[in-house]
């Protein structure tokens, strides 16, 4: 992957900068994914040991190597503290290739609009850089905050794609669906 690849660029918003994770982020990956509050709706994402965070980082890094995009580390401008992670990964859903929008933030940052700000810039990046793939967010029906983030990032409910997920039933929010997958 060349340094000129758009995915190597840091994404920025009014308050945030998003950059590709490095091995230096493993402690933050562990801290955020080890907090029961951050994984209450997705318990299969919870990490029990730092080694699990190292493995997760390696999977994220492998995706960056293969695809040229992935999850970004989210920070306030000119700050070193990692607030959370936001990005996309390729998946299959209902027989179509999609990008899954992911956002997970330290519980101390909740309620400040940071996930929405990060998800919105990532959704815009995906629309420009990977326009052929629909963008979806898989959200538990009782995770109202995550539903609001998806909607504010420009995704709409796609009830016809709802179905079982890793941790229960997933409600699907989507953008850029092909006509054959748009509800009639």
């Amino acid at each position: 992957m060349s340094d000129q690849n758009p995915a190597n660029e840091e994404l920025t918003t009014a308050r945030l900068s998003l950059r590709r994770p490095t091995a230096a982020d493993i402690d933050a990956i562990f801290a955020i994914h080890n907090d029961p509050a951050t994984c209450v709706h997705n318990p299969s994402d919870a990490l029990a040991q730092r080694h699990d965070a190292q493995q997760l980082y390696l999977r994220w890094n492998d995706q960056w190597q293969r695809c040229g995009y992935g999850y970004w580390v989210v920070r306030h401008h000119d700050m070193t503290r990692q607030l959370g992670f936001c990005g996309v990964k390729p998946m299959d859903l209902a027989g179509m290739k999609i990008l899954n929008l992911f956002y997970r933030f330290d519980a101390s940052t909740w309620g400040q609009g940071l996930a929405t700000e990060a998800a919105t810039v990532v959704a815009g990046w995906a629309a420009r850089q990977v326009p052929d793939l629909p963008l979806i967010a898989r959200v538990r029906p009782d995770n109202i905050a995550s539903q609001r983030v998806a909607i504010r990032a420009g995704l709409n409910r796609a009830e016809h794609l709802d179905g079982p997920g890793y941790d229960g039933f997933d409600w699907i929010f989507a953008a850029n669906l092909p006509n054959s997958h748009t509800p009639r």
Side-chain angles (χ1 to χ4, degrees), residues 8 35 63 75 90 94 96 115 118 124 141-143 146 148 153 160 180:
N8 284 337
D35 180 351
Q63 181 190 318
R75 299 173 299 146
M96 70 178 149
D142 60 343
N143 191 346
S146 185
R148 288 182 182 141
H160 64 291
S180 64

Side-chain angles (χ1 to χ4, degrees), residues 65-86:
Q65 300 279 341
R66 286 182 293 106
C67 301
Y69 57 81
Y71 296 159
W72 283 270
V73 176
V74 181
R75 299 173 299 146
H76 282 291
H77 291 293
D78 302 320
M79 301 286 223
T80 58
R81 179 178 171 244
Q82 301 95 332
L83 304 172
F85 309 97
C86 184

Side-chain angles (χ1 to χ4, degrees), residues 50-129:
R50 188 177 185 282
H51 173 76
D52 299 330
Q54 291 170 318
Q55 295 303 309
L56 182 56
Y57 163 73
L58 291 174
R59 286 194 305 273
W60 288 1
N61 192 55
D62 179 62
Q63 181 190 318
W64 275 95
Q65 300 279 341
R66 286 182 293 106
C67 301
Y69 57 81
Y71 296 159
W72 283 270
V73 176
V74 181
R75 299 173 299 146
H76 282 291
H77 291 293
D78 302 320
M79 301 286 223
T80 58
R81 179 178 171 244
Q82 301 95 332
L83 304 172
F85 309 97
C86 184
V88 293
K89 79 173 180 179
M91 296 179 63
D92 291 316
L93 178 71
M96 70 178 149
K97 297 211 177 294
I98 55 96
L99 291 177
N100 182 69
L101 178 64
F102 170 85
Y103 37 90
R104 178 160 294 133
F105 283 73
D106 186 282
S108 70
T109 69
W110 293 356
Q112 300 173 35
L114 300 176
T116 296
E117 198 169 320
T120 300
V121 75
V122 168
W125 178 91
R128 289 185 309 278
Q129 300 298 329

